[in-house]
Amino acid sequence: LKRIVLFLKKRLYFSVFIGRFSKKRVIYTSIPKAGTNLLFNLLNEIPYYRFVIRRGIRPWLFKSQASYLKIFYNLKKGAILKGHIPFNSNFKKFISKKNNYQLILLVRDPRDVIVSIYHYIESMDKSHKSHQFFSNISSKDERINAILYGHSDYFEPLTKIYNQYIMWKNLDNCYTLKYEDLIDIKNEKLNPKIIFKKLKEILQINISDSKLINYLKDESNSHTKRTGKYGEWKNFFNAKQKKYINEELKGILIRLGYETQ
């Protein structure tokens, strides 16, 4: 409800009215548990743009492929559609620079994603369908393996999930951001110049880096609790677990720049 009020209020801004005629159609997609709300806070404050008022898009919530694709086809200028949206080959028909679409993909180290999913299902969301499944498994190894390799009715293999999202990177109108970089910018450990310059360029906006940093720091619109950390996997997994996890995720870690070999 708070977010809906926020979205409606922003629609009254004159800049948002201008954006309806002059700005891009933006799709903001993130890998589940990749810190979606961190970038949401920044994008929500960007002038000229407005978020689509609806629950975050997830393909499994739609009864038909046609109704799912219609959401993207009908996206208006100056609107941002948010969700966990894996790549779909049918998008190529209309989601392009030519049609004024811009994709923003948020990724995160998959090893930290495993840790995040583990804690979320174990203790944060006890209504999640996988919570009872987790509760019946006493072994930490078994829980990790279920998330990593997948388990029927509960988890898809993590490599399969990542590969579905990474396919966005093949489009020339996709800009990929790392959760870790945003955290470092937020904590003033990384110079935002290059990342923000590209973001401002693709969204066709003129705004100071200091304002964008303040937007990242503002958590008043977030409904989730974030530690604002990364690399927790290093202490969460033992040496044996690190070895087989790194081996399973090797290709993805290298492609996203989390490992070099």
Side-chain angles (χ1 to χ4, degrees):
L1 181 59
K2 182 180 179 181
R3 281 197 172 176
I4 291 175
V5 172
L6 189 71
F7 293 162
L8 289 172
K9 182 180 178 180
K10 192 177 182 185
R11 275 168 161 69
L12 300 176
Y13 296 174
F14 181 70
S15 67
V16 170
F17 175 76
I18 298 297
R20 292 175 180 270
F21 303 95
S22 61
K23 297 305 178 183
K24 295 184 178 182
R25 300 172 172 91
V26 179
I27 297 172
Y28 166 38
T29 178
S30 62
I31 293 167
K33 309 309 294 180
T36 309
N37 285 293
L38 178 63
L39 187 54
F40 164 85
N41 287 334
L42 186 154
L43 293 176
N44 185 62
E45 296 295 336
I46 294 290
Y48 301 103
Y49 288 92
R50 66 198 185 279
F51 270 96
V52 175
I53 301 178
R54 64 175 301 140
R55 182 180 178 184
I57 299 297
R58 296 163 175 80
W60 52 88
L61 297 178
F62 291 82
K63 294 181 179 180
S64 70
Q65 181 77 236
S67 61
Y68 174 58
L69 294 175
K70 187 177 180 181
I71 298 295
F72 302 90
Y73 182 78
N74 291 333
L75 189 62
K76 306 299 182 182
K77 289 183 178 181
I80 304 175
L81 186 65
K82 177 178 78 74
H84 300 309
I85 309 165
F87 181 78
N88 186 307
S89 59
N90 288 308
F91 289 151
K92 288 185 178 181
K93 297 177 182 177
F94 52 89
I95 296 182
S96 64
K97 279 188 175 180
K98 180 181 178 181
N99 291 328
N100 213 29
Y101 280 84
Q102 176 62 52
L103 291 305
I104 297 177
L105 170 65
L106 181 66
V107 299
R108 185 182 185 184
D109 190 322
R111 294 165 294 194
D112 272 330
V113 168
I114 293 174
V115 178
S116 181
I117 292 172
Y118 189 106
H119 288 311
Y120 181 78
I121 294 175
E122 180 186 50
S123 57
M124 291 183 66
D125 187 358
K126 295 186 178 181
S127 64
H128 195 285
K129 71 174 184 177
S130 301
H131 175 71
Q132 188 60 46
F133 168 71
F134 249 45
S135 299
N136 293 329
I137 300 176
S138 58
S139 166
K140 182 178 178 179
D141 268 320
E142 287 185 66
R143 291 182 174 187
I144 291 171
N145 288 344
I147 298 170
L148 177 63
Y149 298 113
H151 192 287
S152 59
D153 299 326
Y154 297 104
F155 301 101
E156 281 191 308
L158 200 58
T159 52
K160 179 181 179 181
I161 293 173
Y162 265 79
N163 284 328
Q164 289 174 331
Y165 284 85
I166 289 176
M167 286 182 69
W168 280 117
K169 291 170 65 65
N170 295 329
L171 301 184
D172 59 4
N173 58 328
C174 179
Y175 181 44
T176 304
L177 288 163
K178 286 184 177 180
Y179 169 82
E180 294 81 6
D181 286 344
L182 294 178
I183 289 294
D184 280 348
I185 290 173
K186 176 182 175 182
N187 294 330
E188 300 181 9
K189 294 180 179 180
L190 178 68
N191 189 326
K193 186 175 181 180
I194 295 176
I195 292 174
F196 282 171
K197 180 181 179 181
K198 179 64 176 178
L199 187 63
K200 288 185 280 188
E201 177 185 308
I202 64 175
L203 294 180
Q204 304 166 321
I205 56 171
N206 184 16
I207 189 170
S208 69
D209 288 354
S210 59
K211 280 190 175 182
L212 292 176
I213 292 174
N214 287 335
Y215 297 156
L216 273 180
K217 292 180 177 181
D218 183 7
E219 299 183 7
S220 61
N221 299 322
S222 177
H223 63 274
T224 59
K225 295 181 178 179
R226 298 189 303 275
T227 61
K229 300 178 181 178
Y230 58 84
E232 293 178 288
W233 65 270
K234 296 176 183 178
N235 296 319
F236 186 77
F237 303 130
N238 60 36
K240 180 182 176 181
Q241 291 162 350
K242 288 177 184 177
K243 184 176 180 179
Y244 70 73
I245 289 171
N246 284 339
E247 184 61 34
E248 174 68 13
L249 299 174
K250 182 177 180 180
I252 291 169
L253 291 169
I254 293 174
R255 186 169 181 187
L256 292 179
Y258 291 107
E259 296 289 348
T260 56
Q261 59 182 12

